[in-house]
Amino acid sequence: MPESWPISRRIGSGFLVLTTMLVGLAFFSHRSVGTLGEGYSEFRNIAQQNVAVTAYVEDIFEAMIAAGRYSTGPNSTDRQDTLSNLDEVLNGKEFLSPFATDPARLQEVEAIIALASDFRRNFLQMSEQLEIAAQTRSQFDARTNDFEKQVNAIF
């Protein structure tokens, strides 16, 4: 049948086939790039969540280390380090934005923030009790020294 067609129809049919193939390839390419874009968007979101979680974990571990040092030998530097690291976790609301698209993970992060708030409150109570204990000990040591002086003065 194509042998009976005039040359203009043959050329036009060839161009029609090539144009159809080109449009099909363009459509396929457009869909593939869209799919890749969605994949990269998801990857970027996961990477931002990873950065946020890493920052939270770093601050929490630094707070735990400083709190451990404070509990063995209370000093204002470790107390301040603990509180500042916990405040970074509690006040770091910009880290919540990567989780806005994932409500389940956002709930988990909010639970971590609530636990950090409990940790801060309990640490403050512990530090107050340690200060009271240190004052009591210094008073006890002073009384003990006075008692020893009195006993030595008698004998």
Side-chain angles (χ1 to χ4, degrees):
M1 175 158 164
E3 295 85 23
S4 64
W5 289 354
I7 191 78
S8 62
R9 183 180 271 179
R10 288 181 191 175
I11 291 174
S13 297
F15 278 122
L16 180 64
V17 169
L18 285 176
T19 303
T20 304
M21 286 176 23
L22 185 62
V23 167
L25 181 62
F27 178 73
F28 173 76
S29 297
H30 179 68
R31 287 186 53 103
S32 296
V33 168
T35 303
L36 283 173
E38 289 173 8
Y40 286 127
S41 176
E42 182 180 348
F43 175 75
R44 181 182 61 224
N45 190 26
I46 291 171
Q48 289 172 343
Q49 289 177 356
N50 187 25
V51 168
V53 167
T54 302
Y56 278 135
V57 168
E58 176 188 5
D59 290 334
I60 289 172
F61 276 130
E62 286 176 355
M64 290 173 61
I65 290 169
R69 282 193 313 253
Y70 182 82
S71 67
T72 58
N75 61 55
S76 62
T77 304
D78 288 333
R79 183 178 192 271
Q80 186 58 37
D81 286 346
T82 302
L83 293 176
S84 68
N85 283 315
L86 290 173
D87 287 340
E88 285 180 32
V89 171
L90 296 173
N91 299 330
K93 301 301 181 190
E94 68 275 359
F95 292 120
L96 292 177
S97 62
F99 299 98
T101 59
D102 193 350
R105 287 189 179 158
L106 181 60
Q107 269 186 329
E108 291 175 3
V109 171
E110 289 172 345
I112 290 171
I113 292 173
L115 289 172
S117 178
D118 291 344
F119 181 21
R120 186 179 195 285
R121 186 181 68 251
N122 291 334
F123 176 77
L124 286 173
Q125 288 176 352
M126 179 193 74
S127 66
E128 290 171 5
Q129 294 298 320
L130 285 173
E131 288 175 12
I132 292 170
Q135 290 173 356
T136 304
R137 181 174 185 158
S138 67
Q139 290 173 353
F140 180 74
D141 289 343
R143 288 180 184 168
T144 302
N145 288 336
D146 289 342
F147 182 72
E148 286 178 2
K149 287 178 185 176
Q150 291 174 359
V151 168
N152 287 337
I154 293 174
F155 294 110

